[in-house]
Amino acid sequence: MHMSSHLMAEPLLYEVRESSIHNTGIFAAADIPPDTRIVEYVGEKITKKESERRGIALMEKAKQTGDAAVYIFTLNSRYDLDGAEGDNPARYINHSCDPNCEAYIEKGRIFIYSKKAIKKGDELTYNYGFDLDTWEDHPCLCGTDRCVGFIVDESHWPKLKRIIKRHAASRKKHLAEQEAVLAEATKPAKKARKAAKA
C-alpha cells in the first residue's frame, strides 16, 4: 500500500494591502495570539559600509524625487539586511509609536512576533527604533494616542520631546520678533493715512 503524506502549508497570518499609515501595510488575516511568530524579514546580507552607501544613495534619491523607501534592517554589529528586493512582505510592516509587534533576531535571522493579541484586520506594526540624529527626516503618521510625531526609538522619546519643545519655543520667539518688525513697519503708514483723512 502506498502511503502519501500531504504536507499542508500553514495559512499565512497576514495579508498585504493598502495602509492608512503609509502606502502599503500588512494586516492580520486571522486573530493572532501574543508571542506568535508571524513572518520573517528576509533580504540581502550586506556589510555596514555597503549599508551606509545605500542609505546615502536613498537619501539623495529622496531629495530629487521626494520618495525613497528604506528597507535596511540592522542584523548585528557587522551586517545589515536589505529587504528591498525579492519576496519580503515583512518590509511592508509600518512603524507605530504604539506597536503590536516586535522584531527579534534569532540565529542570524529576523522574525516579527506579536507583542499582544491582534484582532483579524488590524494592521501589524512595530517601532523601527531609529536614532535621534535624523529625527526631522522621519515624521510619524501612525495616528495612535502615544504618537510622538517622529519615527524614533522609544528610549529617545524624553530627549525628543525636549528638542521639539525647544524648537517650538524658538519658532514662537522668531514669529513674535517678525510680528513686532511688521507692526513697527506699518506704524508710519497708519499715521500717513490719518493725516490724509484730516
Side-chain angles (χ1 to χ4, degrees), residues 139-195:
C140 180
L141 304 172
C142 74
T144 65
D145 292 341
R146 296 190 74 222
C147 185
V148 293
F150 296 91
I151 300 174
V152 175
D153 188 76
E154 191 168 350
S155 65
H156 300 302
W157 287 7
K159 188 172 183 180
L160 175 66
K161 288 176 182 178
R162 289 192 302 271
I163 291 169
I164 290 171
K165 193 173 182 178
R166 276 198 310 270
H167 278 259
S170 177
R171 278 193 294 271
K172 188 175 179 181
K173 181 180 175 189
H174 181 68
L175 185 60
E177 289 169 354
Q178 286 180 323
E179 286 174 352
V181 168
L182 184 61
E184 193 62 37
T186 57
K187 279 185 183 177
K190 288 179 184 176
K191 287 179 186 176
R193 268 190 253 127
K194 285 181 184 175

Side-chain angles (χ1 to χ4, degrees), residues 47-196:
T47 64
K48 293 291 181 185
K49 187 174 182 177
E50 176 61 13
S51 180
E52 187 176 336
R53 187 197 68 75
R54 290 182 189 187
I56 291 168
L58 285 168
M59 284 177 26
E60 290 304 314
K61 179 182 175 186
K63 287 177 189 173
Q64 294 170 2
T65 66
D67 182 44
V70 178
Y71 300 111
I72 298 174
F73 207 117
T74 300
L75 188 58
N76 56 40
S77 61
R78 294 179 61 205
Y79 296 101
D80 290 341
L81 212 58
D82 187 349
E85 301 297 324
D87 187 23
N88 179 29
R91 72 174 170 241
Y92 298 119
I93 299 176
N94 285 309
H95 165 88
S96 176
C97 295
D98 190 13
N100 54 18
C101 294
E102 202 161 1
Y104 289 99
I105 299 169
E106 299 173 359
K107 298 180 183 175
R109 297 167 68 187
I110 300 168
F111 294 98
I112 309 302
Y113 281 82
S114 56
K115 283 178 66 169
K116 52 190 169 188
I118 302 170
K119 294 281 184 207
K120 180 180 180 177
D122 286 354
E123 183 165 3
L124 305 181
T125 58
Y126 62 87
N127 186 312
Y128 286 2
F130 289 175
D131 288 329
L132 266 179
D133 39 343
T134 57
W135 67 273
E136 288 178 293
D137 297 334
H138 304 287
C140 180
L141 304 172
C142 74
T144 65
D145 292 341
R146 296 190 74 222
C147 185
V148 293
F150 296 91
I151 300 174
V152 175
D153 188 76
E154 191 168 350
S155 65
H156 300 302
W157 287 7
K159 188 172 183 180
L160 175 66
K161 288 176 182 178
R162 289 192 302 271
I163 291 169
I164 290 171
K165 193 173 182 178
R166 276 198 310 270
H167 278 259
S170 177
R171 278 193 294 271
K172 188 175 179 181
K173 181 180 175 189
H174 181 68
L175 185 60
E177 289 169 354
Q178 286 180 323
E179 286 174 352
V181 168
L182 184 61
E184 193 62 37
T186 57
K187 279 185 183 177
K190 288 179 184 176
K191 287 179 186 176
R193 268 190 253 127
K194 285 181 184 175

